[in-house]
Amino acid sequence: MQPTGRFHESERKMKKWIRWWGFLAFVVFVGLFVAGIFLFSGPLIAKGIEKAGTLAMGARVDVGSAHPGIFPLGLTVKGLQVTDPDAPMTNILEISDLRLGLDTQALMLGKVDIREMAVEGIRFGTPRKKSGALPEKPKEEKRKEAAPGKSLQERIPMPALQIPDVDAILARESLAALEEARALEEELRAELGSFQTRLQTLPDLRTLEGYKTRLENLKKGRGLAAIVTTARELRELKAAVDSDIRILRETQEDLGNRVTVLSGRIRALKELAAEDVRRLVAKYNISDEGLGNVTGLLLGPEWEARIRKGLWVYRKAEPWLARQAVHEKTPEPEKRVRWEGVDRVFVEAPLRPDFLVRKASLSLHIPAGDLKGSLRNATNQQALVGSPMILNLAGDGLSGMERMALEMVFNRINPAAPEEGVKAEIRGWQPQAMGTGDFSLGAEKGDLDLEMGIRSGVLSGKGRMNLTGVRFSVADSGNPMARVLTSALEEVDSLLVRADISGNLDRPEIRFSSSLDGVVRGALSRAVREARAVFQARLDEEVGLRTEGKILELENRIKALGDLDVILEERLTAARGLVF
Amino acid sequence: MIQVIASFLKVLNSESDPGQISLALCLSMVAGFAPFFSLSTLFMLLLGLCLRVNLSAFSLGWGLFALLAFFLDPLFHHVGWLLLNLPDLEGFWTRLYNLPAMRMTRFYNSVVMGSFVISLILFVPLFVFQWVMIRKYRTHFMSWIQKTRIAQILKGTKIYAAYRALS
């Protein structure tokens, strides 16, 4: 069929207005531009990831290579290494291969919506060839954690079970019994002197004999005048004798009272010595304090360090989770940039998060083997997604354990009340020796469960570790307490360890308890009791030796006082024998 | 500056249709007023290349209008911001804002919006004005200008010959 004239006319007009080679040039130009971006943007993307990562982590982040993809739109990153800020020659995280596919429409709306992501070869704690420390940033002082490798004595504040040197103690301690004995000795000496002086002033036997002679002479008198005189002198003599008897009796009573008092104090010296022993036993006590939480002391530092490390990672990620993107910007420009203008932000419908990983498959390599898992809804705007971020990892038939599973839930749907949770489960665990230095704990098999939550920064959680076929190894350091501990631990076959987690992110508190506590505490307490009894017996003996000699000496001195009483009694008898 | 005037005269004195020159200048106005990295720039480049407009006029005009935009940006910003905040258009802009392709045009930017709207308003009047002026120039002034020394020099260059071959 021949073309009509009208068709020729329209074709001519079209040719007049359309420049096909121009269109071709445009397509080639745009094609080359886009191809150039995809070919040469990889290093720029890698640099961007390194820069942003380094800024966020405070340590060097390296990317081996980055390649953007067009069909489908995505990105492949290889050789991602994140340095541990506390150990610059170690990577806290290493990812060998990361592939992600982007939602094109979301990207056109300025959103990064990752539909599918595959992260393979995740490793922790790998060595670095070059230090990842940032030279320009001053190093933060490392937090001192309970370092492994400490001796048993350092890790557990055990009583040494060494009986203190009694002689050395008595050389530096003053005994109340001896002090009292010395005081009594002085008093006795003074009393004896005082009564002896007083005795000299009292009528003696010669004076009384004089009274007797005078009485007999008076009785011999004859005549009225003599009778009158005799009667007067007799009255005077009787008065003098009565006065002397009274003085002698009073002195005897005084002496008796003093002897009674001083004898009582001498008798009390024995009780004082016993009190001294009790005081010294209490002062140089071999206590069983500090044995209340043996499990925490034995296992705490290592497990605490692990939990603290996990919390450190969480604290690093937490600011990102807490950051909420602003969707409703103020319509009024805050700053007018003359050549760039101001973006007017309208309401998005539907609201989408700025960054979202809908689903990621993870392949994690740990020393025990490979774990597979997934990450869902990774975003810092969970309120827009309506679902929490969930991380799952699990592995079966691993080296040294039958099964391991981990679930982490980051619930920020309500940003005002964030809730995070971790559940970990290990079954059929064949733990390697736990603890270092001269103490270690091994077990044939173990199961571990951990459940921890963080609500608005407050920690709460419980852990449970059930170990069977338990065996302990305590190095023989010559410490008797260590031997007691070894002996007690030999009887332990299974162990149930509980951990209670509380506190907050700044000050996490982890309290461990186990059936071990009672066993160890009982054994050590028995040993402490025995050592304490030996110590008390030695003290009793030594204090007794020192005080009993003094008591004997004092008793002899008080007998001297008693002798004065005999003299007084003799004089009183003589005085009372005078018959008027 | 002399080179620019010479280039302009060369375009005017060429055998291109006045409509092709005028349209090229109008398209270059849209491209020049808009920020360089924008979809409307790319679209104008596509039109400039695909439509049989005068490429010299297009490239020359792009440079000139981009220079002019440097001074007009505050005006673009005010007009664009006014339009973007009109309550009656809020729903319309919101719908556009939620279309992925439209979001990429950055129409929600005050300078992009202002420059685009002003370009559209000026497009037809400028086209007619330029078309008329070019025709008048060619009728009344071209023969006189072609006799000038500068025009003679330009017509003798190889660039002019190449240009003739292309246009």
Side-chain angles (χ1 to χ4, degrees):
Chain A
M1 198 168 83
Q2 293 294 315
T4 62
R6 186 179 291 273
F7 178 81
H8 280 295
E9 180 65 18
S10 67
E11 191 182 29
R12 194 185 65 78
K13 278 185 179 175
M14 196 173 167
K15 276 184 179 173
K16 186 185 175 185
W17 282 103
I18 302 295
R19 186 159 44 205
W20 289 107
W21 69 262
F23 177 72
L24 196 67
F26 179 82
V27 171
V28 170
F29 169 75
V30 172
L32 285 174
F33 184 75
V34 172
I37 285 177
F38 279 95
L39 283 174
F40 300 111
S41 63
L44 293 175
I45 293 169
K47 283 282 171 202
I49 295 169
E50 285 179 351
K51 198 173 175 182
T54 302
L55 198 69
M57 290 301 297
R60 196 175 166 82
V61 172
D62 295 307
V63 174
S65 65
H67 300 286
I70 308 173
F71 303 110
L73 190 67
L75 180 70
T76 302
V77 176
K78 289 181 187 290
L80 178 70
Q81 295 183 4
V82 181
T83 308
D84 185 344
D86 292 333
M89 289 304 292
T90 306
N91 289 315
I92 195 169
L93 171 71
E94 186 177 339
I95 295 171
S96 61
D97 197 10
L98 185 150
R99 295 184 306 278
L100 56 92
L102 290 161
D103 183 326
T104 311
Q105 281 203 348
L107 197 64
M108 289 165 82
L109 290 168
K111 312 286 180 184
V112 177
D113 190 340
I114 299 168
R115 297 274 174 187
E116 290 277 347
M117 185 162 84
V119 190
E120 289 171 3
I122 305 170
R123 291 163 197 262
F124 300 106
T126 55
R128 286 179 64 87
K129 288 177 184 169
K130 286 181 182 175
S131 170
L134 300 179
E136 67 273 13
K137 196 174 178 181
K139 275 187 178 179
E140 284 182 17
E141 206 170 297
K142 280 186 187 178
R143 184 180 293 173
K144 285 187 180 174
E145 290 172 353
K150 282 184 174 178
S151 73
L152 184 61
Q153 195 68 20
E154 286 172 309
R155 294 178 61 161
I156 309 171
M158 284 195 306
L161 264 193
Q162 297 289 346
I163 297 166
D165 185 348
V166 172
D167 289 333
I169 289 172
L170 293 178
R172 64 173 172 267
E173 292 286 343
S174 62
L175 296 174
L178 287 179
E179 294 288 323
E180 174 70 356
R182 276 192 283 273
L184 271 173
E185 193 178 5
E186 287 296 317
E187 279 188 51
L188 274 170
R189 193 178 290 120
E191 291 287 349
L192 188 63
S194 166
F195 275 102
Q196 279 174 342
T197 309
R198 198 169 159 186
L199 206 60
Q200 283 171 5
T201 62
L202 295 177
D204 54 8
L205 287 174
R206 198 188 310 164
T207 308
L208 294 171
E209 196 61 35
Y211 287 149
K212 191 177 177 183
T213 308
R214 274 181 68 190
L215 182 63
E216 283 171 357
N217 290 336
L218 284 173
K219 284 180 179 174
K220 289 175 185 171
R222 297 286 183 266
L224 185 63
I227 290 169
V228 172
T229 306
T230 301
R232 194 184 69 240
E233 284 184 359
L234 275 173
R235 277 198 303 276
E236 286 172 2
L237 186 60
K238 188 171 188 309
V241 170
D242 286 345
S243 170
D244 285 351
I245 288 173
R246 183 173 49 77
I247 291 167
L248 285 169
R249 199 169 52 238
E250 282 174 2
T251 304
Q252 192 184 32
E253 279 174 9
D254 285 349
L255 181 67
N257 288 338
R258 291 304 297 152
V259 168
T260 305
V261 169
L262 292 170
S263 297
R265 283 173 65 183
I266 290 168
R267 279 197 301 277
L269 278 178
K270 286 184 180 175
E271 182 52 37
L272 263 181
E275 182 61 37
D276 278 333
V277 170
R278 282 196 291 275
R279 180 175 60 81
L280 291 174
V281 167
K283 187 172 179 180
Y284 296 92
N285 192 14
I286 308 170
S287 164
D288 57 0
E289 282 177 17
L291 301 176
N293 188 6
V294 175
T295 314
L297 293 165
L298 291 175
L299 303 175
E302 289 157 40
W303 285 88
E304 262 189 50
R306 286 175 188 158
I307 292 173
R308 280 181 194 278
K309 191 77 178 174
L311 289 173
W312 179 87
V313 173
Y314 171 77
R315 286 180 69 117
K316 280 283 173 190
E318 204 271 338
W320 179 78
L321 287 166
R323 198 185 303 141
Q324 296 293 315
V326 178
H327 280 274
E328 292 295 330
K329 287 183 186 169
T330 171
E332 208 54 44
E334 292 175 3
K335 185 178 71 173
R336 292 182 176 181
V337 183
R338 188 174 176 186
W339 312 123
E340 292 178 3
V342 175
D343 290 346
R344 167 72 159 92
V345 178
F346 295 93
V347 176
E348 289 184 6
L351 278 171
R352 290 166 180 255
D354 292 335
F355 178 86
L356 171 65
V357 178
R358 291 185 186 275
K359 187 184 171 187
S361 63
L362 308 174
S363 168
L364 178 73
H365 185 81
I366 59 171
D370 289 334
L371 301 179
K372 301 280 181 193
S374 66
L375 174 70
R376 291 177 184 274
N377 303 320
T379 178
N380 61 350
Q381 292 163 288
Q382 291 178 7
L384 302 181
V385 182
S387 303
M389 182 165 96
I390 300 172
L391 172 72
N392 280 300
L393 286 168
D396 289 304
L398 301 168
S399 166
M401 65 184 84
E402 290 166 10
R403 177 177 164 72
M404 179 185 179
L406 175 76
E407 185 187 79
M408 298 170 81
V409 179
F410 301 88
N411 189 342
R412 301 266 170 161
I413 296 171
N414 179 4
E419 283 183 39
E420 265 81 61
V422 181
K423 278 184 190 173
E425 177 190 290
I426 295 175
R427 293 286 173 268
W429 181 34
Q430 294 154 6
Q432 292 182 338
M434 287 178 272
T436 50
D438 55 0
F439 177 83
S440 64
L441 159 68
E444 286 173 8
K445 215 171 183 182
D447 293 334
L448 189 145
D449 293 278
L450 175 73
E451 197 166 337
M452 191 172 81
I454 306 171
R455 287 189 181 188
S456 305
V458 178
L459 301 175
S460 65
K462 285 189 185 299
R464 184 187 159 96
M465 183 164 64
N466 198 0
L467 299 171
T468 53
V470 170
R471 61 195 178 280
F472 292 92
S473 168
V474 183
D476 188 5
S477 58
N479 181 352
M481 189 60 91
R483 281 199 289 274
V484 171
L485 183 65
T486 308
S487 171
L489 293 177
E490 276 172 5
E491 297 167 11
V492 178
D493 182 53
S494 62
L495 186 61
L496 178 62
V497 180
R498 289 191 177 86
D500 287 304
I501 303 160
S502 59
N504 53 45
L505 288 171
D506 293 323
R507 284 174 171 269
E509 289 171 17
I510 304 149
R511 178 158 180 81
F512 291 91
S513 60
S514 78
S515 49
L516 195 65
D517 290 347
V519 173
V520 173
R521 195 165 49 229
L524 294 180
S525 294
R526 276 197 300 278
V528 165
R529 272 201 304 277
E530 286 166 12
R532 194 187 296 157
V534 171
F535 177 51
Q536 185 162 356
R538 284 187 192 173
L539 264 179
D540 265 335
E541 187 183 349
E542 195 59 36
V543 171
L545 277 174
R546 293 179 187 213
T547 52
E548 276 170 13
K550 279 282 176 193
I551 291 169
L552 277 173
E553 197 179 319
L554 291 170
E555 282 172 349
N556 286 334
R557 282 184 183 278
I558 212 155
K559 274 180 188 166
L561 269 179
D563 291 345
L564 293 181
D565 185 63
V566 174
I567 294 168
L568 283 169
E569 189 58 37
E570 192 181 4
R571 290 183 188 184
L572 272 171
T573 307
R576 285 183 189 126
L578 294 171
V579 180
F580 288 90
Chain B
M1 190 63 188
I2 293 169
Q3 200 174 354
V4 174
I5 294 166
S7 301
F8 187 64
L9 288 174
K10 197 169 76 176
V11 170
L12 290 178
N13 296 343
S14 69
E15 291 174 5
S16 296
D17 189 274
Q20 288 177 325
I21 297 170
S22 185
L23 186 60
L25 287 171
C26 288
L27 292 176
S28 69
M29 176 186 67
V30 180
F33 279 178
F36 185 78
F37 293 105
S38 65
L39 272 187
S40 56
T41 306
L42 196 66
F43 185 62
M44 289 305 122
L45 183 65
L46 172 67
L47 289 180
L49 285 170
C50 290
L51 297 177
R52 200 172 284 277
V53 297
N54 188 290
L55 284 177
S56 297
F58 181 76
S59 55
L60 188 68
W62 193 348
L64 285 172
F65 283 113
L67 188 68
L68 189 60
F70 186 79
F71 300 101
L72 292 176
D73 270 349
L75 175 70
F76 297 155
H77 166 74
H78 283 295
V79 172
W81 191 250
L82 186 76
L83 288 167
L84 289 168
N85 286 289
L86 277 178
D88 291 342
L89 293 176
E90 178 83 18
F92 176 65
W93 297 138
T94 303
R95 275 196 294 279
L96 289 187
Y97 191 76
N98 286 293
L99 294 174
M102 288 309 294
R103 182 78 70 89
M104 288 187 75
T105 64
R106 294 192 66 229
F107 77 91
Y108 52 88
N109 179 274
S110 59
V111 170
V112 173
M113 173 58 74
S115 62
F116 184 69
V117 170
I118 288 175
S119 304
L120 281 187
I121 291 168
L122 292 177
F123 196 95
V124 175
L126 189 70
F127 177 80
V128 174
F129 174 75
Q130 287 173 156
W131 187 75
V132 170
M133 291 306 288
I134 292 166
R135 285 179 71 86
K136 283 196 172 180
Y137 164 79
R138 285 186 175 174
T139 311
H140 301 291
F141 299 104
M142 194 172 77
S143 56
W144 174 73
I145 283 181
Q146 277 186 336
K147 287 173 188 169
T148 60
R149 192 172 179 79
I150 190 168
Q152 292 297 323
I153 291 167
L154 284 172
K155 285 178 85 173
T157 59
K158 284 181 182 174
I159 298 169
Y160 182 76
Y163 163 76
R164 284 292 304 273
L166 282 171
S167 60

